[in-house]
Amino acid sequence: MTAPIRENLSGLDLRAEIERLRKERNAVILAHYYQKPEIQDLADFVGDSLELSRKAAETDADVIAFCGVKFMAETAKILSPEKIVVLPDMDAGCSLEDSCPPEQFKRFREAHPDHIALTYINCSAAVKALSDVIVTSSSAETIISQIPESQKIIFGPDRHLGGYLNRKFGREMLLWPGVCIVHEAFSETELLKLKAQHPGAPVAAHPECPPHIVDHADYVGSTSGILQFAKNFPGDTLIVATEPHIIHQMELALPEKNFIGAPGADGNCNCNICPYMALNTMEKLYLALRDLQPRIEMDEELRLAARKSLDRMLDMASGTVGKGDLGRA
Ligand code: SF4
């Protein structure tokens, strides 16, 4: 369980205090699209996990306050070892990361020595270090298309993203059985009811959704891709099958359009809100900037090993690695 805040912060103007500390600490504040609007609104950058870490690495900030989940803050540390990286709540985890303990992943790899490991970025630094290439939901398709069909692949930890890629590319990647509890919660029945209420409204879905949701989507892509689709689709209503806090950015960009979050099982539950992301609050962000805790610490050997598989992704995504270059790292 997350530790309760023991101080009484009720008299503080948190926005002003965060602003003061941001300057005093020379800090950059990052907010993932799944954060509460009040946090998104004060962040220096709002985006998806890798994009945020890369932007922060390009700044001369001394401190990164990452309003997201732990694997994202770890990625920021991997790319910016000289910076202090704080996460407002260290219990902000991820069901995909939890599904894939490094020891089990290592044994699985050892049981399949002729497979390379293509691993979704939603995993711990230790699992990244055990992988050959990291992918994001934005880069996965570009990267898979560069891997020879004869090359056997383990894909983890998201079986839905892996299954989507298998279907799209006719691959038979071996899938680690993890799921995102948020995208898993969308209900096909409720989605079909919503579509009937809004005839003609397209559905944009994240590939972490199970096939019975993705099959109804007009667009399937990463959070950044979904946001781009929202900015360009010609209609006036869009059904969004990913964590609904991303709708805040859509409403800011296109206030005249109507964005509806896809429903969970009873049509009205909050089960499509990520409970890990929701642990970050303004109070905890203030305390993290004030105390420079909780802080991401990482062994340098682990960081360099994890960095290798991330760099492989960046090289492949930018087209600087040829098909023949991809072997076991
Ligand atoms: S939305 Fe899903 S994948 Fe993203 S952090 Fe939450 S549990 Fe993990």
Side-chain angles (χ1 to χ4, degrees):
M1 284 297 291
T2 185
I5 296 176
R6 300 197 184 283
E7 293 178 47
N8 181 0
L9 303 176
S10 57
L12 282 182
D13 178 345
L14 286 171
R15 241 198 113 94
E17 285 298 302
I18 289 168
E19 203 49 59
R20 178 180 66 78
L21 287 165
R22 171 175 13 213
K23 291 196 185 88
E24 271 182 33
R25 299 291 193 201
N26 187 26
V28 61
I29 300 175
L30 309 178
H32 190 269
Y33 289 127
Y34 298 166
Q35 289 293 288
K36 298 173 178 86
E38 59 187 353
I39 293 181
Q40 292 189 34
D41 288 347
L42 58 72
D44 294 288
F45 300 109
V46 182
D48 62 28
S49 62
L50 183 65
E51 175 194 357
L52 288 172
S53 293
R54 294 182 79 184
K55 280 187 174 156
E58 287 165 6
T59 70
D60 61 1
D62 297 314
V63 175
I64 298 172
F66 206 128
C67 300
V69 297
K70 189 176 173 195
F71 79 80
M72 298 177 181
E74 281 188 345
T75 303
K77 187 68 182 175
I78 291 167
L79 297 188
S80 299
E82 73 292 354
K83 294 182 176 28
I84 292 171
V85 179
V86 292
L87 179 66
D89 191 318
M90 200 52 91
D91 287 337
C94 169
S95 64
L96 284 169
E97 178 183 347
D98 292 348
S99 78
C100 194
E103 274 313 309
Q104 282 181 30
F105 188 70
K106 187 165 181 278
R107 283 199 293 277
F108 192 69
R109 287 220 63 178
E110 287 165 356
H112 301 90
D114 54 345
H115 287 59
I116 61 165
L118 205 60
T119 306
Y120 190 31
I121 197 164
N122 295 31
C123 64
S124 64
V127 168
K128 287 183 178 72
L130 291 166
S131 302
D132 295 305
V133 190
I134 299 302
V135 300
T136 62
S137 43
S138 301
S139 66
E141 297 192 14
T142 308
I143 287 170
I144 284 192
S145 63
Q146 294 174 55
I147 300 175
E149 283 174 19
S150 57
Q151 175 63 62
K152 294 179 180 169
I153 302 172
I154 291 169
F155 187 92
D158 185 358
R159 71 183 169 94
H160 292 318
L161 174 59
Y164 170 75
L165 294 167
N166 272 346
R167 293 192 297 284
K168 183 154 184 179
F169 288 88
R171 307 289 299 227
E172 292 181 348
M173 296 188 294
L174 212 47
L175 305 181
W176 186 268
V179 294
C180 162
I181 52 168
V182 175
H183 292 85
E184 179 85 342
F186 293 125
S187 155
E188 181 180 24
T189 308
E190 295 300 327
L191 179 61
L192 290 176
K193 278 192 211 165
L194 198 59
K195 276 171 71 80
Q197 287 163 16
H198 300 277
V203 176
H206 195 283
E208 287 173 20
C209 292
H212 60 255
I213 299 296
V214 164
D215 286 350
H216 297 291
D218 300 275
Y219 174 81
V220 181
S222 64
T223 45
S224 301
I226 290 174
L227 193 53
Q228 204 51 43
F229 180 81
K231 288 176 180 169
N232 294 328
F233 83 105
D236 59 12
T237 300
L238 177 67
I239 298 173
V240 180
T242 189
E243 214 273 2
H245 284 109
I246 195 175
I247 290 175
H248 181 56
Q249 291 300 319
M250 297 175 183
E251 289 174 341
L252 287 176
L254 296 153
E256 72 287 0
K257 296 209 176 191
N258 185 23
F259 300 102
I260 307 172
D266 71 358
N268 198 25
C269 67
N270 280 335
C271 46
N272 55 3
I273 289 177
C274 177
Y276 305 103
M277 292 276 183
L279 290 175
N280 294 322
T281 61
M282 293 283 281
E283 287 82 0
K284 291 177 195 169
L285 173 58
Y286 159 73
L287 291 172
L289 283 168
R290 189 192 71 180
D291 303 340
L292 297 181
Q293 295 288 347
R295 194 183 293 198
I296 301 287
E297 306 281 6
M298 195 175 297
D299 173 77
E300 183 62 4
E301 198 180 332
L302 170 63
R303 189 188 73 79
L304 290 173
R307 170 98 204 207
K308 204 168 166 188
S309 59
L310 269 171
D311 281 345
R312 182 61 71 102
M313 170 187 71
L314 297 174
D315 290 345
M316 291 183 78
S318 64
T320 56
V321 172
K323 284 192 181 194
D325 296 339
L326 188 71
R328 283 291 300 274

